[in-house]
Amino acid sequence: MHTVKALLSWGLLLGISSAACPFAHLDTPSSQQQHQRRDDAQAPPPEDFLKKYEVEDGSDTVLTSDVGGPMGDQRSLRAGQRGPTLLEDFIFRQKLQHFDHERVPERVVHARGAGAHGTFTSYGDFSNLTSASFLSAEGKKTPVFVRFSTVAGSRGSADTARDVHGFATRFYTDEGNLDIVGNNIPVFFIQDAIQFPDLVHSVKPSPDNEIPQAATAHDSAWDFFSSQPSTMHTLFWAMAGFGIPRSYRHMDGFGVHTFRFVTDDGSTKLIKWHWKTMQGKASLVWEEAQAMAGKNADAHRQDLFDAIASGNFPSWELSVQVVDEDRALAFGFDLLDPTKFIPEEFAPLQKLGIMTLDTNPRNYFAETEQVAFQPGHIVRGVDFTEDPLLQGRLYSYLDTQLNRHGSPNFEQLPINMPHVAIHNNNRDGLGQTFIHTNPIHYQPNSLNNNFPAQANQTTNRGFFTAPSRTASGNLVRELSSTFDDHWSQPRLFFNSLTPVEQQFLINAIRFEASHVKSETVRRNVLTQLNRVSNDVARRVAEALGMEAPAPDETFYHNNVTQGISIFNNTLPTIATLRVGVLASAKTLEQAKELKERLEKEKLMVTVVGEFLAEGVDQTYSSADATGFDGIVVVPGAEGLFDKDSSSPLFPTGRPGQVLLDGYRWGKPVGGIGAAAVALEKAGVPETEGVFKAEDVESFVEGFEQGLARFKFTDRFPLDPDQE
């Protein structure tokens, strides 16, 4: 009120009276212009105003830098064909830096994820391989934080979108933080980091309408895939079950790149990181994954959180493949090529330890969202290689974190802090939380006796670059010719799948390619597939209504490798799998008995009824087959499966839909006693994976074996004319 009176007083003093404009006394040229703009009814429409900012990259344009210089940007500058990428490469730095800053503030990729804390325990003293302290003694424990994620979708996308999945692990070692920033697939789409913006631009939603979200079934993705053949290998993995895992807990992890282990004396070995799930590998099927995205977009993050909260802590074994330095080219491909993996027959896995996740985040944003992984977080005993994708990631990940957090002090966030003391000469900046009391923040110095002291290979156990590393050669924008074969390993992967997994992969490509509108892109897809397998190309072409190409046998072979199949295995544990018990809320005696019996095996049991009551966990109106790994009907519920049965409490036919969908998606299903008739009513045939018994105890024995089998893949049709 006092403010209003004061303004009125000022108005009277300035001569405001009658209806004259109160701002007339401020009639300066600038105010006149501003006033005219405000009242101008002839202002151009927004589309005309914005038109001058449009850029059309037509057929007569040449690629330029941001300051207009013509350039090429498909190969980074390196010292020799197999040498390191050079920091002087301004084209590479500009391209990656601009890309890293395209999204604010969520991650450019891996935006949607879930994390957990845990502990890594070393199996032994591996000082003969590495001087890394966390591997220096049997039983040595190191705290860890792991973040799982999808890659392409935004934070609001669904967990079960078909995608590569991130698997990033931070070790809070007693000599600083070590990050293994990997995926659930051991290879990557591209060989040179300078192409990473192109890859992600192609798979992200179209910039004109932001469609489709978290999906690659569109023209630009497959245009890039079919134009850049290095993508074929990762694409095959992603189109198989690895792209739609059952949960984060049921997938492996890989470091993707070749790294080096370094011993105290500087001796080195080339290594590949592997995380092997102790829960067993398991995958969804595509129709199930799509339904789950709609029914529960948070399925994977919920599964991880619930498993840990219930005390069923997931574990992974850490292993490495170890190769002598002089054998980098011994296997018919280049170990510096991130689109290749080493078959286990060439380099067996050596187990180093086990990681168990046992603590959920207390605050998602403070921990899972703010954690800042970097391949450049490295410790003594581990070193890089000249892998051109890794070399670029060392720059890009730091730059991304600077963009997301606005300051280099993001390392001071609690989730990013090492569990050891920090002493350096970094100072100030946005978000500085340390109160530095040492004013001598430079070196060399005499005023603080040169502290903090330097550390190196022989003094204070410092990090050191492997002394055997060398670089030589002319400065070139080329990749080594040892990177040229893009088709032999996708063929190896495909050969190593079971026939039904091969069918799933082909069906996935059919689904994706059928969404491609450009006939040119579809033809290019067939061309690339044909270099891997004419059988694959022919079967995809049939679904697209296109003529199959003639065989291109340059890279065809019949080799197979181990450890690829997901469905050809029995799960080592069924703990935490979810069982739906379809019951009637009016008759719950056997439902309660079955639930108690299954929970003894640490299964997560949900009793479904018409309405909520004591002993009912979920109603039919909210139940869906996507929520369960196995489904059982108990006596009293069989009447709900009658064709003429209806109820205002749930959609017509919902009980039968849940049961039949579960069967169609390969899940073990069954009925106890009189309830077995519900299977026939729902249209479920008597076949493998369909269980019946008169009592609970007899039923459980076979049903639990079915859960360990996880998917009964003989229910899925195969093309009649497979190779």
Side-chain angles (χ1 to χ4, degrees):
M1 189 67 179
H2 295 297
T3 304
V4 173
K5 288 181 178 178
L7 289 171
L8 289 172
S9 299
W10 275 104
L12 292 172
L13 288 171
L14 294 170
I16 300 175
S17 62
S18 69
C21 175
F23 299 105
H25 66 285
L26 299 175
D27 204 17
T28 63
S30 60
S31 67
Q32 286 180 343
Q33 292 169 4
Q34 183 180 28
H35 200 60
Q36 289 169 357
R37 285 197 298 269
R38 186 180 298 128
D39 295 337
D40 186 2
Q42 302 303 316
E47 58 268 25
D48 289 348
F49 174 77
L50 295 174
K51 195 170 185 63
K52 61 185 177 181
Y53 295 102
E54 293 180 358
V55 176
E56 179 65 35
D57 296 324
S59 59
D60 59 346
T61 59
V62 175
L63 192 72
T64 73
S65 68
D66 284 347
V67 291
M71 65 177 191
D73 75 340
Q74 293 300 291
R75 289 288 180 262
S76 54
L77 184 66
R78 58 178 47 83
Q81 287 187 339
R82 300 182 67 247
T85 302
L86 301 181
L87 186 61
E88 77 173 60
D89 188 357
F90 73 96
I91 296 174
F92 167 79
R93 286 187 288 107
Q94 173 190 283
K95 185 176 181 180
L96 267 291
Q97 188 170 46
H98 195 288
F99 168 74
D100 291 340
H101 293 256
E102 286 183 0
R103 301 289 188 275
V104 178
E106 75 176 27
R107 290 167 170 86
V108 182
V109 288
H110 298 277
R112 181 174 183 82
H117 297 269
T119 302
F120 173 80
T121 305
S122 177
Y123 283 159
D125 176 1
F126 298 100
S127 56
N128 62 318
L129 285 176
T130 175
S131 60
S133 176
F134 78 104
L135 295 171
S136 63
E138 182 179 355
K140 185 166 185 175
K141 296 184 181 297
T142 300
V144 298
F145 184 81
V146 177
R147 186 177 185 272
F148 306 102
S149 58
T150 53
V151 175
S154 69
R155 283 188 63 191
S157 58
D159 284 345
T160 57
R162 181 187 281 126
D163 203 348
V164 176
H165 288 67
F167 193 129
T169 308
R170 168 162 299 158
F171 297 82
Y172 299 95
T173 85
D174 54 10
E175 292 189 335
N177 290 354
L178 168 67
D179 290 354
I180 301 177
V181 195
N183 291 326
N184 75 321
I185 290 173
V187 291
F188 200 65
F189 292 97
I190 54 174
Q191 298 166 318
D192 190 329
I194 202 169
Q195 290 187 309
F196 193 67
D198 300 306
L199 166 66
V200 177
H201 285 170
S202 75
V203 302
K204 283 284 190 177
S206 179
D208 55 355
N209 58 15
E210 188 66 8
I211 298 172
Q213 178 60 242
T216 54
H218 55 88
D219 283 52
S220 63
W222 285 84
D223 185 28
F224 184 83
F225 296 154
S226 60
S227 301
Q228 182 60 50
S230 67
T231 63
M232 285 295 104
H233 195 189
T234 302
L235 191 64
F236 268 52
W237 285 75
M239 293 296 108
F242 296 87
I244 46 174
R246 185 267 180 199
S247 75
Y248 294 136
R249 298 180 299 118
H250 291 89
M251 67 184 195
D252 292 341
F254 304 89
V256 179
H257 307 288
T258 299
F259 289 85
R260 283 183 168 91
F261 268 173
V262 189
T263 60
D264 280 332
D265 65 4
S267 300
T268 65
K269 299 281 188 182
L270 301 175
I271 65 108
K272 290 271 196 181
W273 298 108
H274 291 252
W275 289 109
K276 292 297 183 184
T277 174
M278 304 301 286
Q279 292 70 239
K281 290 185 294 185
S283 169
L284 305 174
V285 295
W286 181 229
E287 294 298 325
E288 177 186 16
Q290 292 181 90
M292 189 177 289
K295 296 289 185 177
N296 183 4
D298 304 303
H300 286 171
R301 56 170 62 182
Q302 180 183 352
D303 173 89
L304 180 66
F305 192 96
D306 289 351
I308 294 173
S310 68
N312 294 298
F313 305 139
S315 297
W316 288 261
E317 276 191 323
L318 179 64
S319 298
V320 288
Q321 290 176 291
V322 181
V323 177
D324 290 337
E325 290 268 3
D326 61 2
R327 293 182 59 78
L329 298 172
F331 307 127
F333 56 89
D334 196 328
L335 262 62
L336 299 183
D337 182 351
T339 68
K340 306 297 190 298
F341 74 107
I342 310 174
E344 292 181 22
E345 305 84 64
F346 295 168
L349 298 181
Q350 298 189 31
K351 297 178 180 180
L352 301 179
I354 190 168
M355 173 178 71
T356 300
L357 301 181
D358 57 11
T359 304
N360 282 315
R362 276 75 68 196
N363 182 282
Y364 181 90
F365 181 83
E367 298 166 84
T368 307
E369 185 63 22
Q370 289 197 129
V371 66
F373 293 98
Q374 290 187 59
H377 284 158
I378 205 160
V379 296
R380 177 187 176 95
V382 183
D383 198 7
F384 309 116
T385 63
E386 291 68 38
D387 173 343
L389 181 62
L390 173 60
Q391 294 271 314
R393 291 180 76 200
L394 297 176
Y395 163 79
S396 185
Y397 276 64
L398 173 60
D399 187 48
T400 295
Q401 304 306 343
L402 293 174
N403 176 53
R404 293 190 68 232
H405 298 287
S407 164
N409 292 318
F410 66 86
E411 301 282 24
Q412 296 179 18
L413 294 167
I415 191 64
N416 295 324
M417 286 276 288
H419 292 192
V420 293
I422 301 171
H423 299 286
N424 58 43
N425 293 321
N426 295 335
R427 292 293 187 272
D428 306 338
L430 178 68
Q432 177 61 252
T433 61
F434 294 156
I435 301 174
H436 293 99
T437 59
N438 171 27
I440 314 303
H441 51 289
Y442 54 86
Q443 283 198 346
N445 71 71
S446 60
L447 298 179
N448 197 38
N449 296 318
N450 262 337
F451 287 108
Q454 298 287 317
N456 55 37
Q457 181 176 356
T458 57
T459 304
N460 296 321
R461 284 192 57 81
F463 171 81
F464 64 98
T465 298
S468 60
R469 291 181 62 182
T470 61
S472 63
N474 297 330
L475 303 189
V476 296
R477 291 194 181 275
E478 297 178 11
L479 285 174
S480 170
S481 60
T482 55
F483 283 38
D484 285 350
D485 177 6
H486 307 301
W487 304 278
S488 294
Q489 284 215 340
R491 173 95 180 189
L492 177 67
F493 174 80
F494 185 79
N495 291 348
S496 303
L497 298 173
T498 64
V500 72
E501 288 174 300
Q502 292 177 345
Q503 187 70 58
F504 288 160
L505 186 156
I506 288 169
N507 290 349
I509 298 176
R510 286 168 167 170
F511 174 90
E512 299 253 332
S514 69
H515 286 75
V516 172
K517 297 179 175 60
S518 167
E519 184 176 351
T520 298
V521 173
R522 292 199 302 269
R523 176 59 59 191
N524 290 343
V525 169
L526 295 180
T527 298
Q528 294 298 339
L529 293 177
N530 192 46
R531 292 172 179 171
V532 177
S533 165
N534 181 253
D535 178 54
V536 173
R538 177 180 53 79
R539 292 159 71 182
V540 171
E542 181 182 9
L544 298 180
M546 301 177 71
E547 183 180 351
D552 181 354
E553 300 184 3
T554 307
F555 300 96
Y556 295 173
H557 60 80
N558 295 317
N559 300 332
V560 296
T561 187
Q562 63 189 54
I564 300 298
S565 174
I566 292 178
F567 292 106
N568 196 28
N569 300 288
T570 299
L571 297 180
T573 175
I574 61 172
T576 72
L577 294 187
R578 298 179 180 272
V579 177
V581 177
L582 306 187
S584 171
K586 303 172 184 178
T587 311
L588 291 171
E589 184 176 338
Q590 280 204 292
K592 293 177 181 178
E593 181 186 354
L594 178 61
K595 181 174 182 177
E596 291 174 0
R597 176 63 181 83
L598 293 175
E599 285 180 340
K600 291 180 181 179
E601 305 300 325
K602 298 184 177 181
L603 290 162
M604 316 288 280
V605 183
T606 299
V607 176
V608 183
E610 305 95 312
F611 51 84
L612 291 178
E614 184 178 355
V616 175
D617 305 302
Q618 188 179 34
T619 64
Y620 281 105
S621 64
S622 61
D624 189 82
T626 56
F628 313 121
D629 298 299
I631 300 169
V632 188
V633 187
V634 294
E638 55 268 25
L640 302 177
F641 294 81
D642 292 341
K643 291 184 178 180
D644 57 353
S645 175
S646 63
S647 169
L649 294 172
F650 52 82
T652 301
R654 174 59 59 82
Q657 177 191 0
V658 173
L659 183 59
L660 186 58
D661 281 348
Y663 171 80
R664 287 172 172 167
W665 296 337
K667 303 173 191 282
V669 299
I672 298 176
V677 70
L679 301 169
E680 182 180 350
K681 291 180 179 181
V684 174
E686 292 192 27
T687 186
E688 189 178 19
V690 178
F691 300 91
K692 299 178 181 179
E694 289 302 315
D695 59 85
V696 167
E697 194 60 39
S698 301
F699 178 84
V700 165
E701 182 178 353
F703 185 69
E704 288 181 345
Q705 293 177 0
L707 288 170
R709 174 86 168 267
F710 194 68
K711 294 290 188 187
F712 290 85
T713 55
D714 56 343
R715 299 176 194 169
F716 299 93
L718 303 179
D719 289 336
D721 53 350
Q722 292 188 53
E723 274 187 347

